Amino acid sequence: MLLWLWLCWGFSTSAAQPDSELMARYLEEKLMADYSIMEQVARRVPRQAKFLQRLETRPRMSEFTVKSTIISRYAFTTVSCTMVNSGSEAREAVFEMQIPAAAFISNFTMSIGNKTYYGEVTGKEKKHSSDDKARHKKPPSPTDGRDNGYETFKASVFIPRKMQAKFLLHYEELLQRRLGKYEYTVSIRPQQLVGRLRVEVNILENSGIVSLEVPPLRNSKHKGNGKVEGDVSPPPSTVVGHTKTLAKVTFNPSVVEQTRIARNGILGDFIIRYDVKRELSVGDVQILNGYFVHYFAPTDLPPLPKNVVFVLDSSASMVGTKLKQTKEALFTILQDLRPEDHFNIVGFSNRIKVWQQDRLVPVTPNNIRDAKKYIHNMSPTGGTNINGALQTGAKLLNDYIAQNDIDARSVSLIIFLTDGRPTVGETQSSKILSNTKDAIRDKFCVFTIGIGNDVDHKLLERMALENCGMTRHFQEDEDAASHLKGFYDEIGTPLLSDIRVDYPEDNVEQVTQNFFPNYFNGSEIVIAGKLINRTSDSLHVEVTASNSKKYILLKTDVAIDFPSRNDIRGVPGLEDGKGDKNYIERAWSYLTIKELLNSRLKSDDNQEKDYLMEKAKSMALTYNFVTPFTVLKMREAGLHSELPQEEFISPSTDGIGEKLQSLQGHKAPPGIHRQQDTQRIKISKTSADGDPHFVIDFPSSKFSVCFNIDGEPGDILRLVSDHKESGVTVNGQLIGAPAPPNGHKKHRTYFNTITILSNKPERSYLEITPKRIILDDGERLLLSCDRSAIVRSSSLEVSISANSNITVTIRDTISFVILIHHYKKPAPYQRNHLGFYISNSKGLSSDSHGLLGQFLNHDIKLLQEALNTSNHQVGQNQTEASKPNPTNTLKVKGRLIPVVRKQRRIYNGQQEVDCWFAKNNAEKLIDGSYKDYLASHPFDTGTSFGTSNSL
């Protein structure tokens, strides 16, 4: 018997997935009957005679099953296919499967008759470059070239007469997040109708699954698949079910339903898209058996301004559809630019043509109109001067950066599009790469797009890798306009720049890439590593980044669960798991190998390239991954080996329960050691907290004064009012609660919202509640109070200690601390609320006012005076009544206020303060009355007192 295996490399590994043994036996027993039934059904389909005649010349596919489990974005996929030769002589069977180019094959097994062959991953011998080139040239295939994101795996064997062959292919991949969704795709192209066709995908995301969708089958050669435009319904026979964290999707079309989709057996791509719940935090950090993976994809951030130069190929080879679709895409892209962006356009052939000489222009209606005219008038002519075009684009951006203040953290980038290879000017790829890197000098990124089959893919890929960009390739016969627009949408909304993620050096090792120049909306940053100190009970995580004029620092300690108590046994759809694969460890190995391959691609040093190759090869062999440096060799199993079973080895999911939590952290610059979270600013006693109780500290007089304000729910109190001088105002809004039993009050009030406004040097405000913080300095940023974070701009810093306090520092001379009071089991008269403390008032003027502000720069004297009683008793008590009563009195701005000694608890009850208490809503102690301090709305910066604040 002849055995022939043909592998088109570029794949990934996976764990196996089967039907039960009972189903497998049923398949064998009923195999011939199934073929008979399938043939009868197929013959009832109109106009199938020629197809069936062709089908009879090759083995028939009785079963095609895909089963996948996705755990926290990491996908294990198993493809099972059974073919039967019912003829009277041996016939060739071809098993062909398109898999994502980013995936790694991990195993392949096949059985022919009573013989079983298994795949063994071995190292690839180093060949001469000419041999490499010959090996990488894949012959054309009917399903190749459909999209740039796929490779074709193909195995061909001869099946003896009246026998069957069974194929099991396993591959793994880490799903990438694009445009706010993860996309899992299965290619269903069996090339014939199948008696039993089934796809089953189980998804487990502990963060919570949102936006799950199954669009129609995608097939570029059969656009729309007969459906009306805009139809987004799942393919027929698709069943979708999910809970908060688990989803199960099945696709099980009958032969008749397959025929309605595609009569040639090329159904298309079965796609599942989804996202997970997330917020501005350090992200999801998951730890299992000594490995961790960290997913970072913040939301609710304002976009960064862009400085973009479009470098577009207009050479003669772009004539026709390619240039037409490029223009269509650019028209839409220009319309999507934001008012704060700046841009320019460079067209190139053998000549370089710049739309606006020596400058980038702002986005205005007139500039967009003129840019569209320029693009419309571009005509294809001449050769391809790639080097000159990139040098021109880089100079435009470098000059703009040098001549303009871009401290506002705008993002600069070049979008480069071509359909060919360099033919004019510098044509050597290595020189073009070197020149481009020298011109850019790590100041901005290059994103490359190739159209058609004549593109130098390696040049574009390496150019993007070396200059912090990404690359895409589209076929000429595809809808290039929509692909170009889709690629721009991925990079069109930068949210953060200079993102760095750090972990304690003595706790982790072999961490993957942890610095990223940009984070784009809808994408995701993924880091993985190994734990050194496996006895530690937590992992400290820190993330630093820039957003426009703000510096953001996030930090947290992630609990480590050893051993994990969490398991997926008993979860519907995953009951048959028998393996113990650490999906986090495999995600780490997957990312590490990918980075080694990219590093080798970027390297010009042969010794370094060999080192990286050997390191990648060694890891690929350890984890059984097929890579460019490893191959899959088929070995024959023992004589009495059993047929391969569709046994799905479920990866271990220990650790994805409660401890796979959403985390947040800040990454300190290199060399900065972790410090304990201590209060960086000392809190004074001057505060408004509780019901609310006010305390004013007078350090020079060595005593404190306190009073209560019995306000009404909904009242907004002016706490600090210095808008005219320092530009700072603080208002607090009250909420109500029932009074405690047997109390003297009719109700309680607490601060539910603190609003801090500042208009110097520029306008900004903070709105703080017990749950969240809104920071608006022209760009709105939403922060959660249960996540530690620091946000810093030129004049403002906000530091959040999770579920504890918020410190607000203005121009380094004014500091406020807001305590967060949360009740786990609140009594009826308790409410979650805030406490307001003044930590540093040096920057507030002597004219500052408000319930607290009016005392910050004034002294109060404590007196003891003999106040005679106004009424005289008669008789024997007259002498005693006429004696003076010693009374403690405060003297404030000439006013005398009787006070009594009391104690107040502050700082969440951690400290007790002795103070002199003024009764009756601080009558005479404060200027005016309580109602004079009511603001009309939270952002009210006015004052009812004159500049002298005297009443």
Side-chain angles (χ1 to χ4, degrees):
M1 179 181 62
L2 176 64
L3 172 65
W4 167 35
L5 177 66
W6 172 21
L7 300 179
C8 299
W9 69 271
F11 326 117
S12 161
T13 70
S14 170
Q17 306 192 47
D19 290 343
S20 64
E21 295 181 3
L22 178 63
M23 185 62 71
R25 289 196 298 269
Y26 174 81
L27 178 66
E28 295 172 9
E29 295 169 358
K30 300 297 183 180
L31 198 56
M32 300 309 296
D34 285 346
Y35 291 147
S36 177
I37 294 172
M38 184 192 73
E39 183 173 352
Q40 293 174 19
V41 173
R43 289 187 183 279
R44 293 193 188 104
V45 178
R47 292 172 289 184
Q48 293 298 306
K50 293 183 179 180
F51 173 72
L52 290 172
Q53 289 173 1
R54 181 170 62 86
L55 187 63
E56 291 172 356
T57 65
R58 58 178 175 171
R60 294 179 179 176
M61 188 178 297
S62 65
E63 171 262 346
F64 181 87
T65 302
V66 179
K67 191 173 182 184
S68 174
T69 291
I70 303 170
I71 306 177
S72 296
R73 297 80 147 169
Y74 196 75
F76 298 83
T77 302
T78 295
V79 181
S80 172
C81 176
T82 302
M83 294 185 181
V84 174
N85 178 12
S86 57
S88 58
E89 59 183 20
R91 290 177 178 172
E92 183 184 21
V94 178
F95 169 66
E96 185 175 292
M97 183 71 187
Q98 284 190 356
I99 68 173
F104 286 146
I105 288 177
S106 60
N107 200 4
F108 178 64
T109 307
M110 60 184 180
S111 65
I112 302 98
N114 59 358
K115 290 189 176 182
T116 299
Y117 302 86
Y118 65 93
E120 179 182 342
V121 178
T122 62
K124 184 181 292 185
E125 298 296 330
K126 192 173 182 180
K127 300 288 184 70
H128 296 294
S129 59
S130 59
D131 295 335
D132 290 339
K133 290 179 181 178
R135 186 174 64 256
H136 292 324
K137 289 182 180 178
K138 298 184 295 183
S141 169
T143 57
D144 282 345
R146 183 193 54 79
D147 201 339
N148 66 312
Y150 295 89
E151 298 282 356
T152 300
F153 175 91
K154 187 178 291 186
S156 178
V157 299
F158 278 85
I159 305 177
R161 66 186 188 90
K162 307 297 182 182
M163 299 188 75
Q164 72 174 23
K166 189 168 188 176
F167 306 89
L168 285 177
L169 174 68
H170 309 271
Y171 62 89
E172 301 172 23
E173 62 180 312
L174 181 65
L175 302 185
Q176 293 185 349
R177 188 171 184 256
R178 293 178 178 171
L179 301 177
K181 295 286 184 68
Y182 302 101
E183 183 173 292
Y184 175 76
T185 302
V186 175
S187 176
I188 306 176
R189 292 172 168 79
Q191 310 294 316
Q192 57 181 278
L193 301 180
V194 183
R196 182 177 296 119
L197 191 154
R198 179 179 174 83
V199 177
E200 179 181 324
V201 181
N202 295 287
I203 305 171
L204 185 59
E205 295 285 355
N206 199 70
S207 301
I209 299 173
V210 296
S211 305
L212 178 68
E213 62 182 42
V214 183
L217 292 169
R218 180 177 63 193
N219 190 327
S220 61
K221 295 182 180 181
H222 302 275
K223 296 178 182 178
N225 294 318
K227 299 179 182 295
V228 296
E229 186 176 355
D231 184 8
V232 293
S233 58
S237 79
T238 300
V239 178
V240 180
H242 70 93
T243 62
K244 182 180 178 181
T245 59
L246 179 69
K248 182 173 183 179
V249 180
T250 59
F251 174 57
N252 190 21
S254 65
V255 174
V256 174
E257 287 172 323
Q258 294 174 48
T259 306
R260 291 171 181 167
I261 298 171
R263 296 176 180 177
N264 60 358
I266 303 177
L267 276 65
D269 294 330
F270 184 77
I271 303 168
I272 298 173
R273 298 190 185 105
Y274 72 95
D275 198 15
V276 299
K277 291 182 179 179
R278 66 185 80 246
E279 57 190 2
L280 178 59
S281 69
V282 75
D284 289 337
V285 181
Q286 304 180 10
I287 301 172
L288 179 61
N289 296 337
Y291 294 85
F292 73 89
V293 63
H294 182 179
Y295 301 101
F296 180 65
T299 57
D300 297 319
L301 292 168
L304 293 172
K306 296 190 301 295
N307 314 307
V308 56
V309 175
F310 299 96
V311 182
L312 310 176
D313 190 343
S314 60
S315 61
S317 59
M318 287 286 289
V319 67
T321 303
K322 286 184 284 189
L323 187 57
K324 178 184 177 182
Q325 293 190 334
T326 299
K327 290 180 178 182
E328 290 176 0
L330 261 294
F331 291 158
T332 307
I333 290 170
L334 289 174
Q335 205 63 44
D336 288 346
L337 291 174
R338 296 182 177 85
E340 62 270 20
D341 296 340
H342 290 75
F343 73 106
N344 202 342
I345 302 167
V346 176
F348 72 95
S349 54
N350 56 329
R351 297 175 55 193
I352 311 298
K353 299 178 182 179
V354 181
W355 172 50
Q356 296 288 337
Q357 290 294 330
D358 303 325
R359 65 189 182 124
L360 268 66
V361 299
V363 174
T364 65
N366 288 342
N367 285 337
I368 296 297
R369 178 200 62 201
D370 294 344
K372 288 182 177 179
K373 289 182 181 178
Y374 176 80
I375 292 172
H376 176 75
N377 292 328
M378 289 177 65
S379 57
T381 181
T384 308
N385 188 353
I386 290 178
N387 183 73
L390 287 167
Q391 293 297 304
T392 301
K395 185 176 185 305
L396 282 169
L397 273 178
N398 278 319
D399 290 347
Y400 178 78
I401 293 171
Q403 297 168 9
N404 295 272
D405 178 17
I406 61 166
D407 289 339
R409 301 288 182 178
S410 60
V411 171
S412 300
L413 50 93
I414 288 177
I415 297 178
F416 176 81
L417 181 147
T418 184
D419 75 327
R421 300 171 181 268
T423 61
V424 176
E426 180 59 65
T427 59
Q428 188 176 347
S429 294
S430 59
K431 286 292 293 180
I432 295 174
L433 291 168
S434 175
N435 293 342
T436 303
K437 193 169 181 63
D438 290 343
I440 291 174
R441 300 191 298 275
D442 297 324
K443 290 185 178 180
F444 45 87
C445 301
V446 177
F447 297 84
T448 60
I449 302 168
I451 300 179
N453 295 321
D454 297 329
V455 175
D456 188 338
H457 301 288
K458 287 190 175 181
L459 172 63
L460 297 187
E461 182 181 13
R462 184 170 173 181
M463 185 182 298
L465 282 174
E466 289 184 351
N467 298 285
C468 67
M470 298 185 292
T471 187
R472 291 287 187 275
H473 173 240
F474 309 123
Q475 290 299 324
E476 184 176 350
D477 60 348
E478 295 183 283
D479 184 3
S482 63
H483 284 306
L484 289 172
K485 179 58 170 61
F487 181 53
Y488 173 80
D489 288 343
E490 290 185 45
I491 62 176
T493 308
L495 298 183
L496 293 173
S497 61
D498 301 329
I499 305 100
R500 186 178 177 90
V501 185
D502 278 322
Y503 315 89
E505 294 182 359
D506 57 347
N507 278 12
V508 299
E509 65 179 355
Q510 299 185 44
V511 177
T512 58
Q513 178 184 348
N514 69 333
F515 176 80
F516 304 87
N518 300 300
Y519 166 72
F520 297 99
N521 187 40
S523 64
E524 184 171 57
I525 289 172
V526 185
I527 309 105
K530 297 175 66 176
L531 299 181
I532 299 175
N533 183 8
R534 297 187 61 174
T535 61
S536 175
D537 59 357
S538 67
L539 173 66
H540 187 70
V541 184
E542 295 188 344
V543 179
T544 55
S546 297
N547 171 261
S548 188
K549 301 177 183 180
K550 294 182 285 292
Y551 164 89
I552 297 175
L553 183 154
L554 308 170
K555 57 183 176 179
T556 198
D557 288 316
V558 183
I560 299 176
D561 193 22
F562 292 124
S564 173
R565 299 164 299 170
N566 304 297
D567 198 303
I568 61 167
R569 286 174 293 186
V571 176
L574 304 177
E575 311 91 334
D576 53 354
K578 300 178 182 178
D580 188 30
K581 287 194 175 183
N582 183 341
Y583 73 98
I584 294 180
E585 180 181 356
R586 297 191 74 80
W588 165 77
S589 64
Y590 175 96
L591 287 171
T592 302
I593 293 173
K594 290 289 185 182
E595 289 188 4
L596 290 170
L597 296 178
N598 288 338
S599 297
R600 184 178 185 274
L601 180 62
K602 293 189 292 184
S603 177
D604 290 320
D605 184 276
N606 288 331
Q607 187 174 356
E608 182 185 28
K609 289 169 76 76
D610 288 343
Y611 167 77
L612 293 169
M613 179 187 70
E614 291 301 322
K615 193 171 181 180
K617 182 193 297 185
S618 175
M619 182 167 283
L621 292 174
T622 300
Y623 290 93
N624 216 55
F625 286 151
V626 178
T627 70
F629 307 129
T630 54
V631 294
L632 192 64
K633 292 185 177 180
M634 302 306 296
R635 310 288 187 190
E636 184 173 354
L639 295 177
H640 301 289
S641 61
E642 297 180 357
L643 290 177
Q645 298 297 311
E646 297 175 62
E647 176 182 331
F648 176 61
I649 310 264
S650 173
S652 169
T653 54
D654 292 345
I656 63 172
E658 297 173 357
K659 293 301 179 183
L660 293 193
Q661 53 197 339
S662 191
L663 309 168
Q664 125 182 29
H666 148 72
K667 155 114 180 103
I672 295 182
H673 299 287
R674 176 192 172 191
Q675 298 178 349
Q676 295 295 326
D677 290 334
T678 57
Q679 183 61 52
R680 299 182 303 113
I681 300 176
K682 183 179 179 181
I683 307 178
S684 75
K685 299 174 185 176
T686 301
S687 60
D689 205 345
D691 185 14
H693 303 312
F694 289 75
V695 176
I696 300 103
D697 189 35
F698 296 95
S700 59
S701 302
K702 297 183 180 180
F703 65 81
S704 299
V705 176
C706 51
F707 59 92
N708 294 344
I709 292 294
D710 296 327
E712 296 293 328
D715 283 354
I716 301 171
L717 308 184
R718 301 184 198 277
L719 302 178
V720 177
S721 182
D722 194 30
H723 189 72
K724 292 183 178 179
E725 300 298 330
S726 68
V728 174
T729 301
V730 182
N731 296 326
Q733 186 165 14
L734 300 175
I735 59 168
N742 303 320
H744 64 281
K745 293 185 177 182
K746 60 180 180 180
H747 59 248
R748 282 188 166 188
T749 55
Y750 302 93
F751 285 118
N752 181 59
T753 304
I754 299 290
T755 306
I756 302 173
L757 304 101
S758 175
N759 69 344
K760 293 182 180 181
E762 54 193 14
R763 179 188 174 280
S764 61
Y765 76 82
L766 280 160
E767 186 177 83
I768 303 169
T769 71
K771 290 186 177 181
R772 56 106 180 101
I773 301 165
I774 296 175
L775 169 59
D776 194 325
D777 58 357
E779 295 174 338
R780 185 181 177 93
L781 180 64
L782 182 65
L783 301 164
S784 174
C785 290
D786 62 356
R787 307 293 177 186
S788 297
I790 294 178
V791 179
R792 185 180 301 143
S793 65
S794 58
S795 60
L796 179 68
E797 179 180 304
V798 180
S799 177
I800 307 170
S801 179
N803 294 318
S804 177
N805 62 76
I806 301 108
T807 301
V808 179
T809 305
I810 302 172
R811 300 188 297 275
D812 294 324
T813 59
I814 303 171
S815 298
F816 305 125
V817 177
I818 295 90
L819 297 189
I820 304 170
H821 299 274
H822 278 293
Y823 297 97
K824 291 184 178 179
K825 295 181 179 179
Y829 52 86
Q830 292 176 326
R831 295 288 185 272
N832 292 339
H833 64 280
L834 303 172
F836 175 75
Y837 292 77
I838 299 178
S839 174
N840 183 0
S841 61
K842 291 180 180 178
L844 294 173
S845 74
S846 58
D847 292 329
S848 64
H849 211 268
L851 288 170
L852 294 175
Q854 63 186 298
F855 300 105
L856 297 177
N857 294 292
H858 294 282
D859 288 331
I860 294 182
K861 293 183 179 180
L862 178 63
L863 306 175
Q864 281 192 342
E865 297 184 359
L867 298 181
N868 295 326
T869 58
S870 56
N871 298 319
H872 297 276
Q873 303 289 337
V874 294
Q876 60 180 1
N877 296 329
Q878 185 172 355
T879 303
E880 295 179 7
S882 64
K883 291 181 180 180
N885 290 327
T887 304
N888 295 300
T889 307
L890 295 179
K891 187 175 182 180
V892 181
K893 299 178 183 179
R895 303 187 296 267
L896 297 179
I897 304 100
V899 291
V900 296
R901 198 69 168 170
K902 277 201 173 186
Q903 287 187 331
R904 286 280 188 250
R905 289 186 179 273
I906 58 175
Y907 308 153
N908 281 324
Q910 297 177 9
Q911 184 172 341
E912 205 168 63
V913 177
D914 291 324
C915 60
W916 294 105
F917 179 73
K919 301 179 180 180
N920 301 325
N921 271 347
E923 184 180 2
K924 294 186 180 181
L925 177 66
I926 60 176
D927 295 336
S929 67
Y930 157 73
K931 292 187 177 180
D932 294 325
Y933 295 86
L934 296 181
S936 59
H937 55 81
F939 305 100
D940 185 357
T941 60
T943 174
S944 56
F945 298 96
T947 56
S948 63
N949 290 328
S950 60
L951 275 179

